[in-house]
Amino acid sequence: MLGPIGFAAPWVLTALIALPILWVILRALPPAPRLVAFPGVALLRGLLDRVPVARRTPWWLLLLRLAAVAALILAFAGPSWKPVMASGQSGPLLVVLDAGWAAAPDWPARLTRAESALTQAAADGRPAALLLADGQAAQGALPFAPADTLLAGLRAAQPAAWPTGLPDDPAVLLANAPEGQLATLWITDGLDHPNRAPWLGALSQRGPVTVVPPARALRSLSLHEGETPSLTLAATDDLAPAILAIGPDPQGVERELARLTPGEAATAAGVTTRPTAIDLPPELRNRITRFQIEGEAHAGAVVLADDRVKRRKVGLVGEADRQAEGQQLLSQLHYLRRALTPTTDLVEGGLGDVLNTAPDVIVLADQVDLAEADDLAAWVDEGGLLIRFAGPRMAAFEGLQDEPLIPVALRQGGRDIGGALSWGDPRGIAPFAADGVFAGLTAPEDVAVRAQLMAQPAPELAERTLAALSDNTPLVTRARLGQGQVVLFHVTANAEWSNLPISGLFVQMLDRLVQTARVTPAEAAADDREQPFWTPEEVLDGFGRASPAEGMAPVAAADLALGAGPDRPAGIYAAGERRMALNAGGPLVLAQWPGAAVEAVGTTGGRDLKGVLLALAALILAVDALGSAMLARGGRVAAAGLLLALLVQPGPPAMAQDVNPELARAANEVALAYVVTGDDRVDEASREGLRGLSMLLSQRTSVEPGDPVAIDLDRDELSVLTFLYWPITDSQPAPSPQAYVRLNHFMRSGGMILFDTRDGDVTGVGGPDMSQALQALAAPLEIPPLAPVPDDHVLTRSFYLMSDFPGRWQGNPVWLEAPPAGAEAAEGVPFRQLNDGVSPVVIGGNSWAEAWAVDENGYPTFPIGGGWEGEMQREMAFRFGVNLIMYVLTGNYKSDQVHVPALLDRMRTEETLGP
């Protein structure tokens, strides 16, 4: 050790003794002399050499070379900043590795730390054991074995999609520990878990315990259930990243649909919590499949969306409430509104008006003989859920036998006390079926029904009954109709026939029914297992990645209520028609470690300095080469001044601070450039788009562009460029007057600007109309009159034959410089322009950069269309890019080919006539 620096091979440092000898050798050997051919030797008579550089090497050049050699010697000595030193113990080693979802963020670093400890134990000949705290039940005592035999199992370990868990009895697992003081290395996720305190006490009694805390802050996301479901972000730091709402877009592509901003922070016991409201339109909210913390990749940062998150659109149809407050309690709509408002989006009105809003559920309160019955039947057949309530009007309707959209045949009239089929006492509700929609609900004993609409006995009556009274007469019935379903409550939706509507059970029953909306018969019959068992459909791993659940057994509802665990990982579970998400995240409770030695964060494995020293040596040698080159030109004083300035100043010279270093590269190679707009997403799309086009040009043509260049119009010089891509946004500021001067000079000297308004999507997804923003930005430019690209223009055949120029969007005109007034094509030759026929501007709105954009691996970044047609459109967009660049580089070369016959005739004529 040398202070905080340790060396893996300290014997290499003995080479530093040779530095003084190297100084003497370099001092004695001068630089190579310069050979100057000059015949006038007589003129040199009497001259003195005022710069005797060849006599000895300058002192500053010697220092540079010695510093480079010293850096190389130190690098090969294996230096490390604050390395973990061997404990010097000879007893056994136990490595406890927390392996729940909270360990996933820095899992590679945890494995590296554990591997380093086991490797050191193997070198010391110490036996070791590995306890993976993933909640799995341990089988007997831990085996203590040679440490190197545990490395294969360690490298194969993965974090779990549930919290960290330790076995119940430490004494049982440590029964086989060898004699001697047991040293424990506990690589923790920083959270408190069941059995952690007993394990810490048991291990502390057997020997020293070293705790390695997490290297980064931990964040968790959980779902808060209530009248309005919301999310809760818990973190061990004060940062508040966005919550991404992810789901399929209208084209079925899984992507980010919205961003949620966490609310005000509340800090307690070192944990900061922020509530996050799910304030999204129902159409968007119902497409969400997961919420995820931005920048986090573990199961605790993911909340899977299920029926609790979705909000159905429900239409209420019935008589309007009376104005008097006391009479409102007699309205059926009043009770329905109170029951449905917290969990659904309500639409009220006539049946025709409600159907026009495309609801998921329609509720009819004592309505019969509807004029829109045919439209309602068609809506149900397409997947709608119709919930009907009985009432006096339905009981007295003479055509009840012929009433459509009724799940079961009904008797004329009702059944109540004092009638022909009178009851002795009001009837209670029988227990719900274990495999039905209302499974798990319990009817209060005080809920009673005084009157009901009776069903005609039929073979299918029992199958269609969802709830019944204590005498087995139907209370709620249901029938399938096409892709939809019709449900009938045989009582009113107010307290006139029963007290069910004023109970909490009424709200639960309606919520269960609404959750089944838009569930097809095939989906409803996909799982016929009896509740209360839930079958996993999709599960997460510890890194938050979803995969189909294969070969997993159903989970009891009682176990599912305990949260994620070894036999029930986070995921989506199904029971009949219901879907429930089991999420891993939750409240964070930080662990305390009394009696243990806690390593400082960032010092768990030491920092290797070898790469830094090698880079320093390379930099010094480069400076040495520069100094030697300048000395060879006779500029020792100037070189010394420059080198000293480079060594003393922390940054580049002040005169070069405003120079874009990428422009120097663009001057030596064909580099495509784009304008920086200030919008990070648009600028990233421009960079990826020009990168994709450059890659294609290198593959298909002789043009080999370099990396794209980002251009700041207010700062950068444009004279070294030939092509500039300018995406238009509604928020980018206008360039300065000097920038417009450079832009006009750029266009006059042969450069081209491709203006892309990116608003060519006729569906509206592409964004607002950018034509006004383009007019404002381009007003000071010297843009010639424009016209759509003609069919015979060079741009249509500069490399590929094309008739359209699609990007991410297609079917929109592309504009360039119009021909001069009166210009006509002669014998198929287009008119000639300045700059070899190259238009200074091309304008369109097809979002070409997004069509060309590829990631670092060469895969497309943005979707185009769907399936094969989308990929063909992407290919045509790439071909347009190739044509455009070839048009910029070659001008009217293609058009000039029509003159070849005339030129050949002229050459033959000149050969015949002679000179």
PDB file of all heavy atoms in Angstrom, residues 143-173:
ATOM      1  N   PRO A 143     -23.399 -26.057   3.064  1.00  0.00           N
ATOM      2  CA  PRO A 143     -22.132 -26.777   2.898  1.00  0.00           C
ATOM      3  C   PRO A 143     -20.964 -25.804   2.790  1.00  0.00           C
ATOM      4  O   PRO A 143     -20.977 -24.879   1.983  1.00  0.00           O
ATOM      5  CB  PRO A 143     -22.346 -27.539   1.586  1.00  0.00           C
ATOM      6  CG  PRO A 143     -23.323 -26.701   0.820  1.00  0.00           C
ATOM      7  CD  PRO A 143     -24.204 -26.032   1.837  1.00  0.00           C
ATOM      8  N   PHE A 144     -19.957 -25.996   3.623  1.00  0.00           N
ATOM      9  CA  PHE A 144     -18.728 -25.216   3.537  1.00  0.00           C
ATOM     10  C   PHE A 144     -17.731 -26.020   2.707  1.00  0.00           C
ATOM     11  O   PHE A 144     -17.434 -27.182   3.020  1.00  0.00           O
ATOM     12  CB  PHE A 144     -18.169 -24.923   4.921  1.00  0.00           C
ATOM     13  CG  PHE A 144     -18.864 -23.790   5.612  1.00  0.00           C
ATOM     14  CD1 PHE A 144     -20.098 -23.986   6.233  1.00  0.00           C
ATOM     15  CD2 PHE A 144     -18.313 -22.519   5.633  1.00  0.00           C
ATOM     16  CE1 PHE A 144     -20.747 -22.949   6.868  1.00  0.00           C
ATOM     17  CE2 PHE A 144     -18.959 -21.461   6.259  1.00  0.00           C
ATOM     18  CZ  PHE A 144     -20.181 -21.680   6.884  1.00  0.00           C
ATOM     19  N   ALA A 145     -17.222 -25.420   1.635  1.00  0.00           N
ATOM     20  CA  ALA A 145     -16.369 -26.111   0.680  1.00  0.00           C
ATOM     21  C   ALA A 145     -15.263 -25.165   0.241  1.00  0.00           C
ATOM     22  O   ALA A 145     -15.253 -23.982   0.604  1.00  0.00           O
ATOM     23  CB  ALA A 145     -17.191 -26.577  -0.526  1.00  0.00           C
ATOM     24  N   PRO A 146     -14.291 -25.651  -0.524  1.00  0.00           N
ATOM     25  CA  PRO A 146     -13.283 -24.734  -1.083  1.00  0.00           C
ATOM     26  C   PRO A 146     -13.956 -23.574  -1.823  1.00  0.00           C
ATOM     27  O   PRO A 146     -14.912 -23.778  -2.575  1.00  0.00           O
ATOM     28  CB  PRO A 146     -12.475 -25.629  -2.022  1.00  0.00           C
ATOM     29  CG  PRO A 146     -12.601 -26.996  -1.423  1.00  0.00           C
ATOM     30  CD  PRO A 146     -13.986 -27.062  -0.855  1.00  0.00           C
ATOM     31  N   ALA A 147     -13.451 -22.389  -1.597  1.00  0.00           N
ATOM     32  CA  ALA A 147     -14.139 -21.195  -2.086  1.00  0.00           C
ATOM     33  C   ALA A 147     -14.273 -21.162  -3.596  1.00  0.00           C
ATOM     34  O   ALA A 147     -15.270 -20.667  -4.126  1.00  0.00           O
ATOM     35  CB  ALA A 147     -13.415 -19.937  -1.591  1.00  0.00           C
ATOM     36  N   ASP A 148     -13.277 -21.680  -4.331  1.00  0.00           N
ATOM     37  CA  ASP A 148     -13.341 -21.590  -5.786  1.00  0.00           C
ATOM     38  C   ASP A 148     -14.437 -22.472  -6.372  1.00  0.00           C
ATOM     39  O   ASP A 148     -14.853 -22.270  -7.511  1.00  0.00           O
ATOM     40  CB  ASP A 148     -11.988 -21.931  -6.402  1.00  0.00           C
ATOM     41  CG  ASP A 148     -11.469 -23.283  -5.919  1.00  0.00           C
ATOM     42  OD1 ASP A 148     -12.110 -23.896  -5.047  1.00  0.00           O
ATOM     43  OD2 ASP A 148     -10.406 -23.710  -6.411  1.00  0.00           O
ATOM     44  N   THR A 149     -14.936 -23.477  -5.619  1.00  0.00           N
ATOM     45  CA  THR A 149     -16.023 -24.323  -6.127  1.00  0.00           C
ATOM     46  C   THR A 149     -17.369 -23.619  -6.098  1.00  0.00           C
ATOM     47  O   THR A 149     -18.338 -24.103  -6.684  1.00  0.00           O
ATOM     48  CB  THR A 149     -16.112 -25.616  -5.308  1.00  0.00           C
ATOM     49  OG1 THR A 149     -16.429 -25.298  -3.937  1.00  0.00           O
ATOM     50  CG2 THR A 149     -14.805 -26.379  -5.357  1.00  0.00           C
ATOM     51  N   LEU A 150     -17.460 -22.480  -5.422  1.00  0.00           N
ATOM     52  CA  LEU A 150     -18.715 -21.741  -5.321  1.00  0.00           C
ATOM     53  C   LEU A 150     -18.871 -20.700  -6.417  1.00  0.00           C
ATOM     54  O   LEU A 150     -19.942 -20.095  -6.542  1.00  0.00           O
ATOM     55  CB  LEU A 150     -18.817 -21.047  -3.957  1.00  0.00           C
ATOM     56  CG  LEU A 150     -18.674 -21.940  -2.725  1.00  0.00           C
ATOM     57  CD1 LEU A 150     -18.710 -21.089  -1.467  1.00  0.00           C
ATOM     58  CD2 LEU A 150     -19.781 -22.987  -2.700  1.00  0.00           C
ATOM     59  N   LEU A 151     -17.821 -20.485  -7.196  1.00  0.00           N
ATOM     60  CA  LEU A 151     -17.860 -19.400  -8.173  1.00  0.00           C
ATOM     61  C   LEU A 151     -18.860 -19.675  -9.291  1.00  0.00           C
ATOM     62  O   LEU A 151     -19.546 -18.757  -9.762  1.00  0.00           O
ATOM     63  CB  LEU A 151     -16.464 -19.170  -8.761  1.00  0.00           C
ATOM     64  CG  LEU A 151     -15.414 -18.640  -7.774  1.00  0.00           C
ATOM     65  CD1 LEU A 151     -14.050 -18.526  -8.452  1.00  0.00           C
ATOM     66  CD2 LEU A 151     -15.851 -17.289  -7.217  1.00  0.00           C
ATOM     67  N   ALA A 152     -18.969 -20.919  -9.730  1.00  0.00           N
ATOM     68  CA  ALA A 152     -19.899 -21.225 -10.825  1.00  0.00           C
ATOM     69  C   ALA A 152     -21.335 -20.948 -10.405  1.00  0.00           C
ATOM     70  O   ALA A 152     -22.120 -20.343 -11.150  1.00  0.00           O
ATOM     71  CB  ALA A 152     -19.737 -22.688 -11.248  1.00  0.00           C
ATOM     72  N   GLY A 153     -21.726 -21.366  -9.211  1.00  0.00           N
ATOM     73  CA  GLY A 153     -23.074 -21.091  -8.731  1.00  0.00           C
ATOM     74  C   GLY A 153     -23.319 -19.615  -8.527  1.00  0.00           C
ATOM     75  O   GLY A 153     -24.427 -19.115  -8.764  1.00  0.00           O
ATOM     76  N   LEU A 154     -22.295 -18.885  -8.081  1.00  0.00           N
ATOM     77  CA  LEU A 154     -22.442 -17.443  -7.888  1.00  0.00           C
ATOM     78  C   LEU A 154     -22.701 -16.734  -9.211  1.00  0.00           C
ATOM     79  O   LEU A 154     -23.578 -15.873  -9.308  1.00  0.00           O
ATOM     80  CB  LEU A 154     -21.192 -16.887  -7.216  1.00  0.00           C
ATOM     81  CG  LEU A 154     -21.118 -15.372  -7.083  1.00  0.00           C
ATOM     82  CD1 LEU A 154     -22.192 -14.875  -6.123  1.00  0.00           C
ATOM     83  CD2 LEU A 154     -19.736 -14.941  -6.609  1.00  0.00           C
ATOM     84  N   ARG A 155     -21.948 -17.095 -10.252  1.00  0.00           N
ATOM     85  CA  ARG A 155     -22.103 -16.415 -11.544  1.00  0.00           C
ATOM     86  C   ARG A 155     -23.449 -16.710 -12.194  1.00  0.00           C
ATOM     87  O   ARG A 155     -23.934 -15.928 -13.006  1.00  0.00           O
ATOM     88  CB  ARG A 155     -20.966 -16.829 -12.467  1.00  0.00           C
ATOM     89  CG  ARG A 155     -19.601 -16.329 -12.018  1.00  0.00           C
ATOM     90  CD  ARG A 155     -18.472 -17.074 -12.686  1.00  0.00           C
ATOM     91  NE  ARG A 155     -17.165 -16.648 -12.191  1.00  0.00           N
ATOM     92  CZ  ARG A 155     -16.040 -17.328 -12.346  1.00  0.00           C
ATOM     93  NH1 ARG A 155     -16.063 -18.498 -12.993  1.00  0.00           N
ATOM     94  NH2 ARG A 155     -14.900 -16.871 -11.859  1.00  0.00           N
ATOM     95  N   ALA A 156     -24.054 -17.840 -11.842  1.00  0.00           N
ATOM     96  CA  ALA A 156     -25.357 -18.190 -12.416  1.00  0.00           C
ATOM     97  C   ALA A 156     -26.519 -17.593 -11.639  1.00  0.00           C
ATOM     98  O   ALA A 156     -27.669 -17.708 -12.069  1.00  0.00           O
ATOM     99  CB  ALA A 156     -25.512 -19.714 -12.474  1.00  0.00           C
ATOM    100  N   ALA A 157     -26.256 -16.970 -10.514  1.00  0.00           N
ATOM    101  CA  ALA A 157     -27.338 -16.430  -9.679  1.00  0.00           C
ATOM    102  C   ALA A 157     -27.993 -15.235 -10.359  1.00  0.00           C
ATOM    103  O   ALA A 157     -27.335 -14.453 -11.054  1.00  0.00           O
ATOM    104  CB  ALA A 157     -26.788 -16.040  -8.306  1.00  0.00           C
ATOM    105  N   GLN A 158     -29.287 -15.081 -10.124  1.00  0.00           N
ATOM    106  CA  GLN A 158     -30.067 -13.975 -10.672  1.00  0.00           C
ATOM    107  C   GLN A 158     -30.974 -13.417  -9.575  1.00  0.00           C
ATOM    108  O   GLN A 158     -31.429 -14.160  -8.701  1.00  0.00           O
ATOM    109  CB  GLN A 158     -30.932 -14.432 -11.851  1.00  0.00           C
ATOM    110  CG  GLN A 158     -30.162 -14.855 -13.082  1.00  0.00           C
ATOM    111  CD  GLN A 158     -29.459 -13.695 -13.755  1.00  0.00           C
ATOM    112  OE1 GLN A 158     -29.933 -12.569 -13.713  1.00  0.00           O
ATOM    113  NE2 GLN A 158     -28.322 -13.964 -14.379  1.00  0.00           N
ATOM    114  N   PRO A 159     -31.256 -12.108  -9.596  1.00  0.00           N
ATOM    115  CA  PRO A 159     -32.173 -11.559  -8.593  1.00  0.00           C
ATOM    116  C   PRO A 159     -33.595 -12.047  -8.831  1.00  0.00           C
ATOM    117  O   PRO A 159     -33.988 -12.371  -9.952  1.00  0.00           O
ATOM    118  CB  PRO A 159     -32.058 -10.044  -8.804  1.00  0.00           C
ATOM    119  CG  PRO A 159     -31.624  -9.893 -10.227  1.00  0.00           C
ATOM    120  CD  PRO A 159     -30.754 -11.078 -10.519  1.00  0.00           C
ATOM    121  N   ALA A 160     -34.365 -12.141  -7.761  1.00  0.00           N
ATOM    122  CA  ALA A 160     -35.729 -12.651  -7.829  1.00  0.00           C
ATOM    123  C   ALA A 160     -36.718 -11.508  -7.998  1.00  0.00           C
ATOM    124  O   ALA A 160     -36.410 -10.345  -7.751  1.00  0.00           O
ATOM    125  CB  ALA A 160     -36.053 -13.451  -6.568  1.00  0.00           C
ATOM    126  N   ALA A 161     -37.922 -11.865  -8.431  1.00  0.00           N
ATOM    127  CA  ALA A 161     -38.994 -10.879  -8.614  1.00  0.00           C
ATOM    128  C   ALA A 161     -39.860 -10.800  -7.368  1.00  0.00           C
ATOM    129  O   ALA A 161     -41.083 -10.655  -7.451  1.00  0.00           O
ATOM    130  CB  ALA A 161     -39.840 -11.242  -9.834  1.00  0.00           C
ATOM    131  N   TRP A 162     -39.249 -10.878  -6.216  1.00  0.00           N
ATOM    132  CA  TRP A 162     -39.931 -10.724  -4.926  1.00  0.00           C
ATOM    133  C   TRP A 162     -38.897 -10.230  -3.930  1.00  0.00           C
ATOM    134  O   TRP A 162     -37.687 -10.215  -4.213  1.00  0.00           O
ATOM    135  CB  TRP A 162     -40.541 -12.057  -4.483  1.00  0.00           C
ATOM    136  CG  TRP A 162     -39.600 -13.217  -4.456  1.00  0.00           C
ATOM    137  CD1 TRP A 162     -38.711 -13.541  -3.468  1.00  0.00           C
ATOM    138  CD2 TRP A 162     -39.427 -14.201  -5.486  1.00  0.00           C
ATOM    139  NE1 TRP A 162     -38.005 -14.657  -3.791  1.00  0.00           N
ATOM    140  CE2 TRP A 162     -38.423 -15.102  -5.027  1.00  0.00           C
ATOM    141  CE3 TRP A 162     -40.023 -14.436  -6.716  1.00  0.00           C
ATOM    142  CZ2 TRP A 162     -38.007 -16.185  -5.774  1.00  0.00           C
ATOM    143  CZ3 TRP A 162     -39.616 -15.515  -7.463  1.00  0.00           C
ATOM    144  CH2 TRP A 162     -38.623 -16.383  -6.992  1.00  0.00           C
ATOM    145  N   PRO A 163     -39.312  -9.830  -2.723  1.00  0.00           N
ATOM    146  CA  PRO A 163     -38.346  -9.275  -1.771  1.00  0.00           C
ATOM    147  C   PRO A 163     -37.338 -10.311  -1.299  1.00  0.00           C
ATOM    148  O   PRO A 163     -37.550 -11.516  -1.358  1.00  0.00           O
ATOM    149  CB  PRO A 163     -39.233  -8.779  -0.618  1.00  0.00           C
ATOM    150  CG  PRO A 163     -40.586  -8.626  -1.208  1.00  0.00           C
ATOM    151  CD  PRO A 163     -40.702  -9.671  -2.278  1.00  0.00           C
ATOM    152  N   THR A 164     -36.216  -9.804  -0.789  1.00  0.00           N
ATOM    153  CA  THR A 164     -35.194 -10.657  -0.198  1.00  0.00           C
ATOM    154  C   THR A 164     -35.765 -11.400   1.009  1.00  0.00           C
ATOM    155  O   THR A 164     -36.549 -10.836   1.782  1.00  0.00           O
ATOM    156  CB  THR A 164     -33.988  -9.809   0.222  1.00  0.00           C
ATOM    157  OG1 THR A 164     -33.404  -9.225  -0.954  1.00  0.00           O
ATOM    158  CG2 THR A 164     -32.943 -10.636   0.931  1.00  0.00           C
ATOM    159  N   GLY A 165     -35.367 -12.666   1.161  1.00  0.00           N
ATOM    160  CA  GLY A 165     -35.849 -13.455   2.289  1.00  0.00           C
ATOM    161  C   GLY A 165     -34.749 -14.353   2.825  1.00  0.00           C
ATOM    162  O   GLY A 165     -33.939 -14.898   2.072  1.00  0.00           O
ATOM    163  N   LEU A 166     -34.710 -14.505   4.149  1.00  0.00           N
ATOM    164  CA  LEU A 166     -33.733 -15.343   4.821  1.00  0.00           C
ATOM    165  C   LEU A 166     -34.436 -16.503   5.512  1.00  0.00           C
ATOM    166  O   LEU A 166     -35.587 -16.369   5.940  1.00  0.00           O
ATOM    167  CB  LEU A 166     -32.944 -14.530   5.849  1.00  0.00           C
ATOM    168  CG  LEU A 166     -31.960 -13.496   5.272  1.00  0.00           C
ATOM    169  CD1 LEU A 166     -31.554 -12.505   6.343  1.00  0.00           C
ATOM    170  CD2 LEU A 166     -30.733 -14.194   4.711  1.00  0.00           C
ATOM    171  N   PRO A 167     -33.771 -17.658   5.656  1.00  0.00           N
ATOM    172  CA  PRO A 167     -34.383 -18.782   6.370  1.00  0.00           C
ATOM    173  C   PRO A 167     -34.693 -18.413   7.819  1.00  0.00           C
ATOM    174  O   PRO A 167     -34.152 -17.461   8.384  1.00  0.00           O
ATOM    175  CB  PRO A 167     -33.320 -19.883   6.270  1.00  0.00           C
ATOM    176  CG  PRO A 167     -32.486 -19.505   5.094  1.00  0.00           C
ATOM    177  CD  PRO A 167     -32.479 -18.013   5.065  1.00  0.00           C
ATOM    178  N   ASP A 168     -35.561 -19.222   8.433  1.00  0.00           N
ATOM    179  CA  ASP A 168     -36.049 -18.894   9.771  1.00  0.00           C
ATOM    180  C   ASP A 168     -35.008 -19.130  10.855  1.00  0.00           C
ATOM    181  O   ASP A 168     -34.839 -18.303  11.751  1.00  0.00           O
ATOM    182  CB  ASP A 168     -37.309 -19.712  10.077  1.00  0.00           C
ATOM    183  CG  ASP A 168     -38.472 -19.317   9.178  1.00  0.00           C
ATOM    184  OD1 ASP A 168     -38.499 -18.138   8.764  1.00  0.00           O
ATOM    185  OD2 ASP A 168     -39.333 -20.170   8.877  1.00  0.00           O
ATOM    186  N   ASP A 169     -34.279 -20.243  10.816  1.00  0.00           N
ATOM    187  CA  ASP A 169     -33.401 -20.629  11.920  1.00  0.00           C
ATOM    188  C   ASP A 169     -31.943 -20.570  11.475  1.00  0.00           C
ATOM    189  O   ASP A 169     -31.477 -21.441  10.731  1.00  0.00           O
ATOM    190  CB  ASP A 169     -33.749 -22.039  12.390  1.00  0.00           C
ATOM    191  CG  ASP A 169     -33.073 -22.380  13.707  1.00  0.00           C
ATOM    192  OD1 ASP A 169     -32.251 -21.566  14.174  1.00  0.00           O
ATOM    193  OD2 ASP A 169     -33.371 -23.457  14.264  1.00  0.00           O
ATOM    194  N   PRO A 170     -31.162 -19.569  11.919  1.00  0.00           N
ATOM    195  CA  PRO A 170     -29.744 -19.511  11.521  1.00  0.00           C
ATOM    196  C   PRO A 170     -28.940 -20.701  12.038  1.00  0.00           C
ATOM    197  O   PRO A 170     -28.000 -21.148  11.373  1.00  0.00           O
ATOM    198  CB  PRO A 170     -29.255 -18.196  12.144  1.00  0.00           C
ATOM    199  CG  PRO A 170     -30.496 -17.404  12.403  1.00  0.00           C
ATOM    200  CD  PRO A 170     -31.561 -18.403  12.696  1.00  0.00           C
ATOM    201  N   ALA A 171     -29.303 -21.219  13.209  1.00  0.00           N
ATOM    202  CA  ALA A 171     -28.504 -22.302  13.790  1.00  0.00           C
ATOM    203  C   ALA A 171     -28.518 -23.541  12.924  1.00  0.00           C
ATOM    204  O   ALA A 171     -27.510 -24.251  12.803  1.00  0.00           O
ATOM    205  CB  ALA A 171     -29.022 -22.624  15.196  1.00  0.00           C
ATOM    206  N   VAL A 172     -29.652 -23.825  12.273  1.00  0.00           N
ATOM    207  CA  VAL A 172     -29.747 -25.008  11.429  1.00  0.00           C
ATOM    208  C   VAL A 172     -28.830 -24.870  10.225  1.00  0.00           C
ATOM    209  O   VAL A 172     -28.108 -25.814   9.857  1.00  0.00           O
ATOM    210  CB  VAL A 172     -31.202 -25.231  10.994  1.00  0.00           C
ATOM    211  CG1 VAL A 172     -31.292 -26.359   9.991  1.00  0.00           C
ATOM    212  CG2 VAL A 172     -32.072 -25.517  12.205  1.00  0.00           C
ATOM    213  N   LEU A 173     -28.796 -23.731   9.596  1.00  0.00           N
ATOM    214  CA  LEU A 173     -27.985 -23.558   8.389  1.00  0.00           C
ATOM    215  C   LEU A 173     -26.501 -23.466   8.702  1.00  0.00           C
ATOM    216  O   LEU A 173     -25.665 -23.773   7.850  1.00  0.00           O
ATOM    217  CB  LEU A 173     -28.423 -22.305   7.623  1.00  0.00           C
ATOM    218  CG  LEU A 173     -29.545 -22.551   6.609  1.00  0.00           C
ATOM    219  CD1 LEU A 173     -30.890 -22.627   7.305  1.00  0.00           C
ATOM    220  CD2 LEU A 173     -29.574 -21.467   5.537  1.00  0.00           C
TER     221      LEU A 173
END
